[in-house]
Every structure is written in structure tokens, then in C-alpha cells.
Amino acid sequence: MPAADVRGLLPMSDCMDAMAAVLETLARGDAILPLRPVLWLPERRGALGMMPAYLGDAGVMGLKAVSVFPGNEGTGYDSHQGAVLVFETGNGRLLAIVDASEITAVRTAATSGVATRALARADAGDLAILGAGTQARTHLAAMLVARPIRRARVWSRTAANAARFAERESAVHGVPVEVAQTARDAVDGADVICTTTAAREPVLLGEWIAPGAHVNAVGSSVPFARELDGPAMARARLFADRRESVLAESGDFLLAREEGAIGDAHIAGELGEVLLGEIEGRTDPDEITVFESLGLAVEDLAAAFLVYERALARGAGTSLELGGLRADA
Ligand code: NDP
């Protein structure tokens, strides 16, 4: 299923509902989700991530095979490319092959949308986005669904990219997006902050974050890169998409722990546990909350399965005969 079809079949608000449901499934223990193996090219120029998962309630298993090439910025290619394979679990038949760029772009922001709905103050209306790439674009869309956004600011390392982003996205959403000259200016007084950069060093410092803000920390999914500094992590009540993934993969978390800013107990819990009411989310209007997003294969699988079901219902997509039958049957 190509990206353009996926786009039409996966509106942000529907994907947010699907992500809330799958995080609950995960928290209930009705999913299998091994940590992802990552194959790195020499000098970490690019990587191939292999992300398998099983969802008990849906009766599907799958795999996202995704290349990650941060150097694709400024080319016509997305930095995340590949496919999500969806299998049924009766006979192990391959049901669908779905474009991974679009699934990744939408499901990541949708999950941040779920986190924002659960953790941001109800009146949070001042949004800051750090970064101006694919995730910045989808995060703006998700935040507009999650909260009544009245002000939006964007900052990016390359000022021209932020300006292009602001002009394009203002027109798409009919909401003015302001360009901030520095990351600090962008987040000053913001209620919701989305960090969506491929930075390796912090772009968000704890001292800049206003009391009561909610942060979706999205851009770092590897142990050696971070967007938030130690004080940003230490000041916040911290939620994981998955505890095990944060402890293994999150540079924001691991580098802050290495500096002694936080310990493992600093993770208050998983977003799915908050959604199930098993742990408390925000406990005070002045509390800072951080949702640490690593990106989970269950999210890809649930989004791709939703796209598959909708494609079947609407006659979209292309049918392929890939075999799988015994030659002597
Ligand atoms: P894009 O290539 O579309 O955008 C990258 C952005 O990062 C650009 O705005 C770029 O700024 C900025 N950037 C790159 N290097 C630096 C740096 N050293 N310092 C500050 N900013 C920098 O990528 P995506 O939007 O697809 O992904 C963004 C990040 O999110 C990546 O790190 C990616 O791995 C991660 N990601 C996380 C997911 C999750 O589930 N948590 C899922 C998908 C992606 P500019 O071009 O203006 O200089």
C-alpha cells in the first residue's frame, strides 16, 4: 500500500484512538514486543531497524523493516523508509504490506497526541515545536486535535526550514505558526513542547521549561543522542511509551542517568498504564510532564492493520498473490 493511500485511510484523530487502544493492550500484557535489533552502517551513516510485534486482541503479528537515514534531510527522500508487514495468526498468512514512512510519520505524532490528551493541562493552548521536518509536520496536526491550540511557534536549526514550515503549515491548518529565532524563544511560556529533531546534543534545557508544561520528547530513539538535558528530565514527572524501551534505547533518559540527574525510579510509568487508570498522570497544574517516545512496533502494527481493514472495506490498495500455499496442495 503506497504512502498516498495510507494518508487517505489514516486520519490523525482515528490514528490517535488506535494508538490509545494499542497502548492499553500493551499495558494489559496482551502483546508481545521484543526490543528491536538495529543494524548500523559504518560510521552510523544509516541504520536498518527491525521491529516485530504481536497483538493478541487483533490476532495479528507483524514486522516493520525501516531504514533510518538522517542525511536524507533536504533530499526528496523521507528519513524513515520501508514497509510494515501484517500477518494473521491462524495460519501465518501475510495480509498486507504497508508503506512505513507514512505509518511512522502519523503513528508517532498520534501517540504524542494521546500523551498530550492524557498529561497536558486541559487548558494547554500554547504550542512549541522544535524541528521542522516530517515529525514536526505531523506533530502540529496531532496537537491541534489533542488541545485547543491558540498559539503555535516553531524553531529549527536551519532558520529557512522553520520559515518554510511556518508558511506551509499555517496555510494547511489555517492557524498562524510563528517562527522563533532560538529554541529558547520558541518554548518560552509554552504549555506543550514537541521535540522532533535529529539532534544529538540537547536542544531543550530544563531551565527554559515553564511550570505546568507537557513535553513530547520524540526525536531521540537511540542511547547516544538526546534532545533534553539532565535538568529537563529531572524536573519532570516522566512517562514512557514502554519502560523497557526507555531503559534500553532512550538517550534522553540514559545520558541523564549517567550524569546522576535521575535514576530508574524516575520513570513514573507507561502511558498505557495512565490510560488504564493504573497510575496517576499529572498530579499538579504546575508539574512538568515528559512523555518519552521511542516508537513501538505495536504502534506500527496497529496502524497498518487499521489501514488494511479500511482498504478492504473501501476497495483501496492493490491485491498481490505472493504464494504461501504448498506446491503439492
Ligand atoms: P526529518 O529529517 O524530516 O527532520 C529532521 C529535523 O531535525 C529537522 O528539522 C532538522 O533541522 C533537525 N536536526 C537535524 N540535526 C539536528 C541537530 N544536530 N540539531 C538540531 N536540529 C537538528 O526527520 P523526522 O522528522 O522524520 O525525524 C525527526 C527525529 O525523530 C529523528 O531523530 C527520528 O529518528 C525521530 N523519530 C522518532 C520516532 C519515535 O517514534 N519516537 C519516529 C520517527 C522519527 P533543519 O533541517 O532545520 O536543520
Side-chain angles (χ1 to χ4, degrees):
M1 167 100 39
D5 290 356
V6 175
R7 212 164 287 144
L9 294 167
L10 195 63
M12 185 58 75
S13 59
D14 295 1
C15 191
M16 275 168 65
D17 293 342
M19 293 305 100
V22 80
L23 291 172
E24 289 183 13
T25 299
L26 180 67
R28 275 197 302 269
D30 194 19
I32 301 175
L33 183 60
L35 284 171
R36 55 189 160 203
V38 179
L39 178 154
W40 288 97
L41 294 183
E43 282 93 43
R44 290 188 177 147
R45 195 171 57 77
L48 183 66
M50 289 147 277
M51 302 172 64
Y54 161 76
L55 288 174
D57 48 6
V60 289
M61 59 187 183
L63 170 73
K64 179 165 82 169
V66 65
S67 67
V68 182
F69 276 65
N72 281 354
E73 235 185 293
T75 72
Y77 296 105
D78 200 275
S79 57
H80 293 65
Q81 298 173 67
V84 185
L85 309 182
V86 183
F87 296 82
E88 52 86 9
T89 53
N91 298 101
R93 282 177 306 124
L94 175 61
L95 299 177
I97 304 174
V98 183
D99 176 80
S101 300
E102 192 61 20
I103 292 283
T104 305
V106 178
R107 67 75 155 143
T108 308
T111 303
S112 295
V114 172
T116 304
R117 269 203 304 223
L119 299 170
R121 288 197 322 259
D123 63 350
D126 189 327
L127 169 67
I129 296 180
L130 305 187
T134 299
Q135 287 299 328
R137 171 176 62 78
T138 52
H139 272 74
L140 175 61
M143 296 308 115
L144 290 169
V145 174
R147 280 291 181 266
I149 300 300
R150 53 181 153 63
R151 182 179 190 202
R153 281 171 281 179
V154 64
W155 166 85
S156 200
R157 177 186 60 172
T158 308
N161 290 341
R164 247 195 316 275
F165 176 95
E167 191 181 340
R168 187 189 67 224
E169 297 303 319
S170 297
V172 169
H173 296 288
V175 171
V177 177
E178 301 166 34
V179 178
Q181 296 310 310
T182 65
R184 185 178 193 157
D185 286 348
V187 304
D188 185 34
D191 303 320
V192 178
I193 302 169
C194 300
T195 62
T196 68
T197 74
R200 297 205 167 181
E201 302 297 328
V203 290
L204 178 62
L205 306 193
E207 65 192 61
W208 301 344
I209 305 174
H214 169 70
V215 181
N216 296 306
V218 175
S220 161
S221 310
V222 289
F224 52 83
R226 72 200 306 197
E227 294 182 290
L228 275 59
D229 71 352
M233 297 297 278
R235 282 187 71 196
R237 183 163 163 80
L238 178 65
F239 297 89
D241 50 8
R242 192 177 192 218
R243 205 179 269 101
E244 188 186 2
S245 301
V246 167
L247 290 170
E249 298 171 355
S250 166
D252 288 331
F253 179 84
L254 295 169
L255 297 170
R257 188 181 69 181
E258 208 172 287
E259 292 165 358
I262 54 174
D264 290 357
H266 194 61
I267 303 175
E270 296 182 357
L271 180 55
E273 295 170 327
V274 176
L275 299 174
L276 288 178
E278 289 176 355
I279 59 163
E280 208 174 352
R282 167 175 295 278
T283 61
D284 185 288
D286 283 339
E287 187 169 62
I288 294 168
T289 51
V290 169
F291 171 58
E292 188 62 46
S293 162
L294 277 306
L296 305 177
V298 287
E299 298 164 2
D300 298 303
L301 180 58
F305 185 52
L306 178 62
V307 164
Y308 164 72
E309 288 189 307
R310 289 185 164 182
L312 279 188
R314 296 179 197 180
T318 307
S319 289
L320 286 177
E321 184 47 69
L322 287 176
L325 296 173
R326 290 175 185 273
D328 57 0

